[in-house]
Amino acid sequence: FARHAVDEPDGTKLLNLKGFLAYYRDAVHNNEFQVVKELHAFGFRPNLTRRHNDSRWYAADENIGQKRPYLLRESMAIDVAMNHASLSRIHFFSELGLQALI
C-alpha cells in the first residue's frame, strides 16, 4: 500500500480511493486469486455486491451492543439463505466493470 499512499502534512501516509484502486489494479495483474480472496474476506460476492451486515456480524453481547464477525463460511451460508433469489443477477457496477474490459 505504501507505493500508492499519499503523504499527509504530518508525515503519515494515507491511502485514498485513487490509491486504493491503483493498488488493486496492480495487484490483480500479479495475483488475481489473492485479490479475489481479499475482496471475499471483506464481504464481497463474486459479482462484487456486498454481503449485508446481518450476514456478516452477530450480537456477541446485546447488553453493550458488541458485535462480532461470523466465520466466513457461516457468513456465506447466511447470505445465500437470505438472498438466494437475487444472487444470480449481475449488479450494475459489476456490469460496468465487465464492459470496461471489452
Side-chain angles (χ1 to χ4, degrees):
F1 283 110
R3 191 173 85 181
H4 301 287
V6 176
D7 292 323
E8 289 291 297
D10 64 358
T12 60
K13 290 191 173 273
L14 175 69
L15 188 65
N16 60 18
L17 178 61
K18 184 178 178 182
F20 176 82
L21 294 173
Y23 168 79
Y24 274 106
R25 192 176 308 113
D26 290 346
V28 78
H29 292 291
N30 296 325
N31 191 345
E32 181 180 350
F33 177 74
Q34 182 64 33
V35 171
V36 171
K37 185 176 171 183
E38 287 177 14
L39 291 174
H40 188 70
F42 289 127
F44 289 92
R45 299 180 186 107
N47 67 358
L48 297 181
T49 59
R50 190 137 193 220
R51 292 191 309 271
H52 192 274
N53 282 341
D54 290 343
S55 68
R56 295 172 42 223
W57 302 92
Y58 68 92
D61 188 345
E62 293 182 16
N63 295 330
I64 60 173
Q66 183 182 17
K67 291 190 171 194
R68 296 201 179 185
Y70 283 108
L71 295 174
L72 184 57
R73 288 183 178 133
E74 292 173 322
S75 176
M76 290 169 48
I78 293 167
D79 182 58
V80 169
M82 290 171 57
N83 301 296
H84 66 279
S86 63
L87 288 176
S88 62
R89 295 185 309 211
I90 293 180
H91 191 265
F92 174 74
F93 292 114
S94 301
E95 188 174 339
L96 286 176
L98 290 172
Q99 289 176 0
L101 296 174
I102 297 174

